[in-house]
């Protein structure tokens, strides 16, 4: 697969998988602070399904990130590229840590408050803030290389700021990250060189 096509396909797969995992988790814990809510017994299937999806979302994200980086080639700015890579790797690592913590809480007969708070904090605070940095770095690279139109750069800036500032406080706001990845991936597929 050519690099732009690979980036587009991997990005779409990542966006759909992560969005599905987020929606499933929000179905299980529909309102309020997810860290404080108990998971109803009849909704545990949603959490389990989300936890099964997360590793595949992470793998697709790494392919997406690698294909984006390969597409920039030698033109990349080393500083921004370092931020891009670092935030992408930390995002995936914290996503996996949050899923692992949620999985251990789900496996317990009586989930602990600590485990539930830990999983939610890692996902909502750390993963989403690393996603924000990734979005901002990607938008900067896209702007500097001229591969993203101004509206897409502006969208990336807004998404990055939303994830950075409000993602841990506003339920469902974490869906802006997979939505952004989907839009960027479609743009790449439609405008591949």
């Amino acid at each position: 697969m050519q690099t732009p096509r690979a980036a587009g396909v991997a990005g779409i797969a990542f966006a759909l998988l992560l969005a599905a995992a987020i929606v499933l988790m929000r179905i299980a814990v529909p309102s309020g602070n997810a860290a404080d809510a108990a998971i109803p017994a009849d909704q545990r299937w949603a959490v389990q399904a989300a936890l099964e999806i997360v590793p595949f979302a992470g793998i697709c994200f790494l392919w997406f990130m690698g294909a984006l980086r390969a597409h920039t080639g030698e033109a990349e700015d080393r500083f921004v590229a370092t931020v891009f890579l670092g935030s992408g790797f930390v995002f995936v690592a914290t996503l996996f840590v949050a899923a692992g913590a949620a999985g251990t809480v789900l496996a317990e007969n009586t989930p602990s408050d600590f485990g539930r708070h830990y999983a939610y904090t890692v996902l909502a605070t750390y993963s989403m803030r690393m996603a924000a940095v990734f979005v901002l770095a990607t938008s900067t690279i896209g702007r500097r290389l001229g591969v993203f139109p101004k509206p897409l750069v502006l969208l990336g800036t807004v998404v990055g700021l939303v994830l950075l500032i409000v993602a841990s406080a506003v339920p469902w706001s974490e869906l802006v990250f997979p939505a952004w990845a989907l839009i960027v991936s479609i743009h790449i597929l439609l405008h591949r060189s």
Side-chain angles (χ1 to χ4, degrees):
M1 221 183 259
Q2 296 174 340
T3 301
R5 183 170 168 80
V9 171
I12 289 171
F14 160 72
L16 296 176
L17 290 169
L18 184 62
I22 291 168
V23 168
L24 286 168
M25 288 299 287
R26 288 294 179 183
I27 287 171
V29 186
S31 63
N33 187 349
D36 294 328
I39 300 168
D42 64 336
Q43 297 298 324
R44 291 170 72 84
W45 68 269
V47 176
Q48 187 60 45
L51 295 178
E52 294 295 327
I53 292 171
V54 166
F56 296 102
I59 291 166
C60 289
F61 180 78
L62 291 174
W63 278 99
F64 174 62
M65 193 171 75
L68 282 175
R69 186 160 187 257
H71 185 57
T72 62
E74 295 299 317
E76 73 181 4
D77 175 295
R78 292 197 190 277
F79 174 76
V80 178
T82 301
V83 174
F84 169 85
L85 284 173
S87 62
F89 290 145
V90 173
F91 166 73
V92 171
T94 56
L95 181 67
F96 287 173
V97 167
T104 60
V105 169
L106 186 62
E108 296 176 12
N109 290 332
T110 56
S112 69
D113 285 342
F114 170 77
R116 192 168 48 244
H117 282 276
Y118 178 73
Y120 183 77
T121 300
V122 170
L123 178 66
T125 303
Y126 298 100
S127 291
M128 288 302 113
R129 290 206 168 111
M130 284 300 98
V133 174
F134 179 82
V135 169
L136 293 169
T138 304
S139 296
T140 300
I141 291 168
R143 180 184 52 81
R144 286 186 181 174
L145 296 178
V147 295
F148 286 175
K150 286 183 182 182
L152 192 55
V153 173
L154 179 61
L155 175 67
T157 303
V158 170
V159 166
L161 292 174
V162 165
L163 292 170
L164 196 60
I165 298 167
V166 301
S168 62
V170 178
W172 295 96
S173 63
E174 59 271 5
L175 282 172
V176 299
F177 182 47
W180 171 84
L182 182 64
I183 292 167
V184 167
S185 299
I186 290 170
H187 171 78
I188 289 169
L189 285 175
L190 294 176
H191 299 95
R192 67 178 188 234
S193 52

